[in-house]
Amino acid sequence: MDMNEIKEIFFQECEEQLAELESGLLKLNDGDRDPETVNAVFRAVHSIKGGAGAFGLDDLVSFAHVFETTLDCVRSNKLEPTQDVLKVMLKSADVLADLVSASRDGSGVDESRSRGLVKELEALAHGEMPSSSAHEAPKPAAKAAPAPKAAPAPAPAAKAETPKPTDDSGFQPIPFSFDGFGEDEEPAIEGSVYEVSFKPRRELYSKGNEAALLLRDLSRLGEMSINCDTDALPALDKMDPEASYFSWKISIRTTKSEDDIRAVFEFAEWDCDLEVKLAEEASSNEELPMVPVPFDLSILDDSSASDEDEKAVQSSADETVAAAVSAAETATSVTKAASRASEKKESAAAAAAAAAQNNAAAAAAAAGQTIRVDLDRVDRLINLVGELVINQAMLSQSVIENDATGTSAVNMGLEELQQLTREIQDSVMAIRAQPVKPVFQRMSRIVREVADMVGKSIRLVTEGENTEVDKTVIDKLAEPLTHMIRNAVDHGIETPEKREAAGKNPEGTIKLTAKHRSGRILIELQDDGAGINRERVRQKAVDNDIIAADANLSDDEIDNLIFMAGFSTADKISDISGRGVGMDVVKRSIQALGGRISISSRPGHGSTFTMSLPLTLAVLDGMVVTVAGQTLVVPLTAIVETLQPEASAIHSFGANQRLISIRNSFCPLVDVGRVLNYRSTQANPVEGVALLVESEGGGQRALMVDAIQGQRQVVIKSLEANYTHVPGIAAATILGDGRVALILDVDAVVAASRGQSMKPEMSLAATG
Amino acid sequence: MSYAVKSLIEGSKELIAFRISDQEFCVNIMSVREIRGWTQATPLPHAPPYVMGVINLRGAVLPIIDLSARLGMKDAEPTARHVIIVSQMKTKVVGLLVEAVSDILTITEENIQPVPEVSSDLERQYARGILAVDKRMICMIELDALFPDQESEAA
């Protein structure tokens, strides 16, 4: 496995982490305050950062780091995840996703945007944690850290101003220089003394981490003294060579923040007991039974030194500790009680975090195991199963032909085979079934971005995102859905001012719902905007010669005009308060998926787009019919009912139109044989069967066929693969006798019949 | 020695010859995938007259072209003795209905005579040369030129 493959796996994992991140943030946005959610979000960013670090993707690492720092504040309850905070975080998640894809394909990113967000994130983090603003001081931090250089006096005031932070460093504004790091490198007289207690667990070593290296890294942050606690060390004969016996107490004087100290232990933090606190606390705990053992820092630089030979050596301990204590005493003017209280809070938070971590581990285990499989392999399997189904049907048919009694053992065996094949087919299809969640999540990003662009405030509510549908459908769903969401945000929802004027909540809501209904997936996109302005839509359609000026159209028909090709051109979009931007493109792509789309709109209350899509593009439940000696398959989902027309129900209408009356309503009769050019004259309806179908756009048509053979599930075969698209035909399939049957494209047939019938109707309306 | 090896050595090529009506044609054997018997095809609506329909070729939907009609001759009336030459054209696979496969020819470039000046566009469009074999005349046709529409769609 070469580096690129590993990198590719990393990117795949990144995508999963990003999805996790976004869904977690959205949960938080909805008011979820489960610490586990916060942890999941944190972990996602953390993993991306870790992986990115391994591949040297510096941009990604640095952004993820800032993001992570802010998330950590939320995790440790230092930062309240308010809507505003989450807004920034969601944007950050978007930028993180951009950075990931930029690293993947080398494309550029909007740097100003990511820089701006870095500032915002830092502001959020610092706003509550003034002490960590050691390198930068964004405006929000200034409030909490008003201390001018080298003036620690107003610390209590800062504390009072920010009652929220439980960060015990909050009370100590650190004098620092904005001018650059150079000065920080000077022997640090300033800076605070932290007491770090570090007790590695066995896992730390087994994962290849090295306590000595961590300590060496720590030593770079400032002046430190180390005490090794060897009490746990058993007698030599009881010693487990792989166990961890040592723990360290480190006292470090540094200008860096607590977070920086924690960052040293970043990749080991799950595998050790780590405590970082200001030395003030330590001074009160000096009676801790600790044996200071001399520790030679220089051995830390010898990377070959194993922890077993590690001799805890104290270096320059006396002066440092003394300095630390005095620094702590002089620099802090806060009562012990206050710090105690904050200490308590922090430990409670830590306990909660630890508990949540355990939960997470349990949840991860319960989530079940998954494997990554190349999609091609699944497709091959699906194709093979399709062949199996056809073969099984052919075999059954020839057996039945030769064995009329239907009682032979062969027949029984065949029946079982049939069931097995069906089960195999279902299981294989289930492999490809995926929840629509990833697509829906992408939509929330689009809503955010477009809403920001047009200055609207919009909430996306999603429902049923775990509804499963075939992967190919999901992949192809994203594009039309994006288009529709953009439209809804741009044209559907009004500006906040208009909304307020109309007495609505200034924040618009777009609702995206997915659900299963009778073997199809139904996706609804609902906005609470102004709805379609029928007057203007109609006018537009007349201007563009789509309908006659005096055409008599129902409201529904007017709404559905927006799906007509050439209804609107891009530069005229904003002229229309309704929709109509490339909706014909949306409709076409939905139709290409074997789906239908329709719209219903209530002026002032918004519009709802309803898309009905097949669950899979591989099989279809169809009604097998005969037309002019040909066998055709009509998708079952299109058929409302079937009926045997009586002569009295057929009415001639105009030159060559016929209507059939069904329960007192008249419905145009379409001879499928004529539309497909199978015969030159119209068949006598009384001799055939009428299939009442509902085409998108609401209208019903009665399709005339000669006879119904039965219902069956058919495997869809592409006609385009070796031929071209055939008008009126959606695809082909192979029937039990091994012959090819064509699958009727009901909508296209209806449209074709409408195209022929439209003009006479219009002229009638004009003369009438 | 196999045909393939021979053709490599001699710089020659293999052609598969077939009969339509009383004329003989040939195509490059490299574009032929298999030859199979005629089965009833399912007609396609709105198809050009030379497209007979589609058949099931081991699970794939294979369009069948009546080569006789495509070459401007009378429509074929397929019988059980007709054969389908399954051939590859760019990314698509189509079946060519012919009366019978007559021969496999190994030829070199110098065996191919230029197409004589004829008035018909159709002949000029598909004919790539004329071969004289045992007093028979065999017209070499270029499959890709027969279906320019499909070609552009495949690309």
Side-chain angles (χ1 to χ4, degrees):
Chain A
M1 190 180 271
D2 65 16
M3 198 60 176
N4 280 338
E5 280 176 59
I6 300 174
K7 215 168 170 178
E8 193 46 45
I9 292 175
F10 161 64
F11 284 126
Q12 283 174 5
E13 279 169 0
C14 270
E15 270 172 28
E16 282 164 25
Q17 302 287 3
L18 286 168
E20 183 91 347
L21 169 63
E22 183 155 3
S23 72
L25 287 174
L26 288 172
K27 264 195 223 163
L28 289 174
N29 207 10
D30 291 341
D32 185 342
R33 287 292 174 271
D34 184 356
E36 179 40 34
T37 312
V38 182
N39 274 324
V41 166
F42 181 80
R43 267 198 309 274
V45 178
H46 186 76
S47 313
I48 292 175
K49 173 180 153 188
F55 291 106
L57 305 168
D58 296 336
D59 289 352
L60 195 52
V61 173
S62 56
F63 186 82
H65 179 72
V66 177
F67 195 2
E68 186 186 10
T69 309
T70 313
L71 280 170
D72 196 34
C73 295
V74 177
R75 195 166 67 137
S76 51
N77 291 332
K78 289 174 204 161
L79 180 64
E80 179 71 16
T82 57
Q83 297 275 329
D84 289 337
V85 170
L86 283 164
K87 210 169 168 188
V88 175
M89 292 200 165
L90 280 165
K91 275 191 207 154
S92 308
D94 295 346
V95 169
L96 197 61
D98 286 348
L99 284 166
V100 167
S101 51
S103 313
R104 189 176 201 162
D105 50 29
S107 62
V109 280
D110 186 353
E111 276 191 29
S112 62
R113 190 170 172 212
S114 71
R115 257 197 307 257
L117 271 169
V118 165
K119 286 227 177 72
E120 280 186 65
L121 282 171
E122 278 174 345
L124 282 176
H126 296 170
E128 306 281 351
M129 302 189 312
S131 70
S132 65
S133 51
H135 357 293
E136 287 172 56
K139 278 163 263 155
K143 181 187 100 186
K149 190 172 181 176
K159 179 80 186 169
E161 270 182 46
T162 55
K164 193 79 202 152
T166 54
D167 184 355
D168 43 355
S169 63
F171 56 77
Q172 195 190 5
I174 297 151
F176 50 78
S177 158
F178 293 164
D179 304 326
F181 281 114
E183 292 173 29
D184 291 348
E185 305 293 340
E186 305 283 276
I189 316 270
E190 294 156 356
S192 35
V193 178
Y194 288 94
E195 190 75 18
V196 180
S197 136
F198 169 52
K199 185 174 190 311
R201 287 190 219 119
R202 185 194 185 97
E203 295 81 31
L204 182 123
Y205 297 111
S206 64
K207 284 183 187 166
N209 279 312
E210 170 67 69
L213 295 177
L214 291 170
L215 293 175
R216 189 175 62 190
D217 282 350
L218 191 60
S219 74
R220 291 189 183 131
L221 293 181
E223 236 177 286
M224 70 172 189
S225 66
I226 302 176
N227 287 312
C228 180
D229 182 1
T230 56
D231 283 358
L233 197 66
L236 194 59
D237 57 340
K238 301 227 172 72
M239 198 146 80
D240 175 356
E242 292 184 355
S244 165
Y245 297 114
F246 292 164
S247 62
W248 287 269
K249 293 251 180 230
I250 303 124
S251 158
I252 181 163
R253 173 192 291 276
T254 177
T255 51
K256 304 274 202 269
S257 70
E258 184 186 326
D259 285 339
D260 290 323
I261 295 175
R262 284 192 183 273
V264 170
F265 297 96
E266 180 158 32
F267 294 106
E269 103 183 271
W270 316 110
D271 299 320
C272 67
D273 298 322
L274 183 68
E275 242 179 81
V276 181
K277 54 190 173 188
L278 266 184
E280 196 272 332
E281 194 62 25
S283 63
S284 67
N285 285 346
E286 260 185 340
E287 63 278 9
L288 270 181
M290 280 248 304
V291 190
V293 183
F295 189 91
D296 181 6
L297 258 181
S298 64
I299 73 149
L300 292 178
D301 290 317
D302 177 10
S303 51
S304 70
S306 87
D307 45 340
E308 229 59 57
D309 340 305
E310 248 175 61
K311 294 244 186 337
V313 185
Q314 188 173 21
S315 85
S316 66
D318 301 341
E319 48 184 296
T320 319
V321 170
V325 171
S326 65
E329 275 169 1
T330 50
T332 59
S333 47
V334 180
T335 63
K336 241 173 212 166
S339 72
R340 277 272 152 75
S342 63
E343 183 66 30
K344 235 190 209 164
K345 261 193 194 166
E346 176 146 302
S347 64
Q357 224 170 301
N358 292 340
N359 288 346
Q369 292 188 324
T370 57
I371 52 164
R372 285 174 207 284
V373 182
D374 204 10
L375 201 56
D376 285 348
R377 293 191 191 185
V378 179
D379 285 346
R380 211 176 312 148
L381 183 62
I382 286 174
N383 276 334
L384 284 173
V385 172
E387 298 306 302
L388 180 68
V389 171
I390 292 166
N391 253 310
Q392 178 266 323
M394 284 166 70
L395 191 60
S396 301
Q397 195 153 338
S398 57
V399 167
I400 290 164
E401 277 165 14
N402 294 316
D403 173 26
T405 59
T407 50
S408 69
V410 179
N411 236 319
M412 315 262 270
L414 262 179
E415 225 152 80
E416 262 170 44
L417 179 66
Q418 188 172 356
Q419 272 174 9
L420 271 177
T421 351
R422 185 53 84 106
E423 254 172 63
I424 292 175
Q425 198 175 15
D426 288 348
S427 323
V428 169
M429 291 303 166
I431 295 179
R432 292 198 55 134
Q434 303 267 314
V436 291
K437 198 171 174 181
V439 179
F440 277 23
Q441 271 179 1
R442 254 188 278 173
M443 295 309 132
S444 69
R445 173 178 182 170
I446 287 156
V447 169
R448 280 200 297 281
E449 287 186 350
V450 181
D452 252 17
M453 238 184 281
V454 296
K456 291 176 187 171
S457 161
I458 293 167
R459 224 170 100 81
L460 179 76
V461 182
T462 55
E463 247 176 49
E465 53 212 338
N466 287 324
T467 313
E468 285 193 340
V469 64
D470 193 277
K471 177 126 179 37
T472 42
V473 179
I474 293 186
D475 291 347
K476 289 180 178 162
L477 193 60
E479 198 201 311
L481 210 51
T482 306
H483 211 112
M484 288 163 63
I485 290 261
R486 285 223 174 96
N487 261 344
V489 174
D490 197 7
H491 309 294
I493 305 266
E494 318 92 317
T495 56
E497 300 82 51
K498 271 194 192 164
R499 291 183 63 90
E500 263 180 297
K504 291 193 205 174
N505 183 349
E507 189 187 50
T509 305
I510 293 178
K511 198 169 157 193
L512 194 54
T513 325
K515 57 189 165 203
H516 280 147
R517 189 192 282 173
S518 59
R520 286 173 83 86
I521 182 170
L522 209 67
I523 294 176
E524 267 181 14
L525 179 70
Q526 195 176 356
D527 67 54
D528 64 348
I532 283 186
N533 186 335
R534 299 209 172 100
E535 279 297 293
R536 291 172 90 157
V537 166
R538 196 197 150 92
Q539 191 51 48
K540 188 96 206 162
V542 171
D543 292 350
N544 288 359
D545 269 347
I546 294 171
I547 54 167
D550 48 5
N552 186 12
L553 297 178
S554 69
D555 283 355
D556 248 16
E557 280 172 315
I558 294 177
D559 289 349
N560 282 291
L561 281 175
I562 62 165
F563 293 115
M564 300 292 278
F567 172 71
S568 180
T569 52
D571 58 297
K572 290 174 190 160
I573 318 158
S574 41
D575 293 341
I576 297 174
S577 60
R579 316 271 174 82
V581 195
M583 286 312 285
D584 59 317
V585 179
V586 171
K587 184 176 176 178
R588 240 179 292 144
S589 45
I590 296 285
Q591 275 177 332
L593 281 174
R596 293 193 294 265
I597 183 168
S598 63
I599 181 179
S600 70
S601 179
R602 281 174 64 205
H605 289 87
S607 318
T608 305
F609 286 91
T610 309
M611 281 173 282
S612 147
L613 292 164
L615 288 182
T616 166
L617 302 181
V619 291
L620 162 137
D621 278 304
M623 185 173 281
V624 184
V625 300
T626 319
V627 178
Q630 297 299 325
T631 306
L632 285 173
V633 178
V634 185
L636 212 52
T637 46
I639 300 175
V640 181
E641 65 173 289
T642 61
L643 45 106
Q644 190 93 47
E646 286 170 24
S648 58
I650 312 289
H651 307 275
S652 289
F653 181 69
N656 46 15
Q657 289 298 307
R658 281 173 302 176
L659 302 182
I660 179 167
S661 71
I662 301 162
R663 290 180 289 275
N664 284 333
S665 73
F666 293 92
C667 177
L669 205 57
V670 180
D671 183 0
V672 176
R674 270 303 291 134
V675 172
L676 297 183
N677 257 341
Y678 282 160
R679 50 186 163 221
S680 48
T681 52
Q682 295 207 350
N684 183 0
V686 184
E687 287 164 12
V689 182
L691 310 177
L692 199 61
V693 296
E694 196 156 68
S695 63
E696 95 288 351
Q700 288 194 337
R701 290 285 188 282
L703 297 187
M704 281 302 311
V705 298
D706 297 352
I708 293 176
Q709 291 182 17
Q711 273 179 25
R712 70 188 309 166
Q713 194 172 46
V714 297
V715 179
I716 298 174
K717 297 279 175 185
S718 162
L719 264 180
E720 279 91 340
N722 287 324
Y723 191 59
T724 56
H725 176 71
V726 180
I729 299 298
T733 187
I734 294 164
L735 292 179
D737 60 2
R739 288 198 51 187
V740 177
L742 302 177
I743 301 173
L744 200 67
D745 184 344
V746 171
D747 285 339
V749 168
V750 168
S753 73
R754 194 182 283 157
Q756 292 158 6
S757 64
M758 199 79 153
K759 273 164 206 151
E761 274 172 21
M762 289 293 179
S763 59
L764 272 179
T767 51
Chain B
M1 200 184 284
S2 76
Y3 283 114
V5 173
K6 217 190 217 164
S7 73
L8 276 178
I9 295 168
E10 297 166 11
S12 60
K13 54 172 153 185
E14 256 80 37
L15 301 172
I16 199 153
F18 48 85
R19 249 189 9 252
I20 301 172
S21 302
D22 48 357
Q23 298 186 27
E24 258 189 292
F25 297 87
C26 62
V27 293
N28 194 331
I29 206 167
M30 297 312 283
S31 60
V32 175
R33 294 253 296 251
E34 65 177 282
I35 293 168
R36 50 165 296 151
W38 162 250
T39 44
Q40 193 65 44
T42 304
L44 291 170
H46 307 295
Y50 57 82
V51 176
M52 304 206 62
V54 284
I55 64 163
N56 165 23
L57 182 74
R58 289 184 301 280
V61 176
L62 185 78
I64 303 297
I65 309 285
D66 177 358
L67 205 52
S68 171
R70 179 65 188 92
L71 298 181
M73 294 178 274
K74 65 175 170 32
D75 288 0
E77 280 158 22
T79 63
R81 291 164 64 188
H82 276 69
V83 292
I84 290 167
I85 302 176
V86 180
S87 21
Q88 179 89 39
M89 291 183 198
K90 299 273 164 89
T91 59
K92 303 195 176 189
V93 180
V94 299
L96 304 173
L97 178 75
V98 301
E99 238 159 72
V101 170
S102 54
D103 210 349
I104 291 172
L105 311 164
T106 308
I107 54 141
T108 52
E109 283 298 323
E110 49 264 33
N111 296 123
I112 305 174
Q113 299 173 21
V115 182
E117 291 285 326
V118 283
S119 56
S120 164
D121 279 345
L122 195 62
E123 277 85 19
R124 259 182 291 163
Q125 191 191 334
Y126 62 77
R128 283 293 169 272
I130 303 263
L131 298 170
V133 181
D134 302 337
K135 293 181 183 166
R136 291 179 290 162
M137 186 197 82
I138 303 177
C139 174
M140 191 167 92
I141 56 177
E142 174 79 40
L143 288 180
D144 289 348
L146 279 179
F147 309 103
D149 308 348
Q150 294 196 8
E151 208 180 303
S152 63
E153 268 176 32

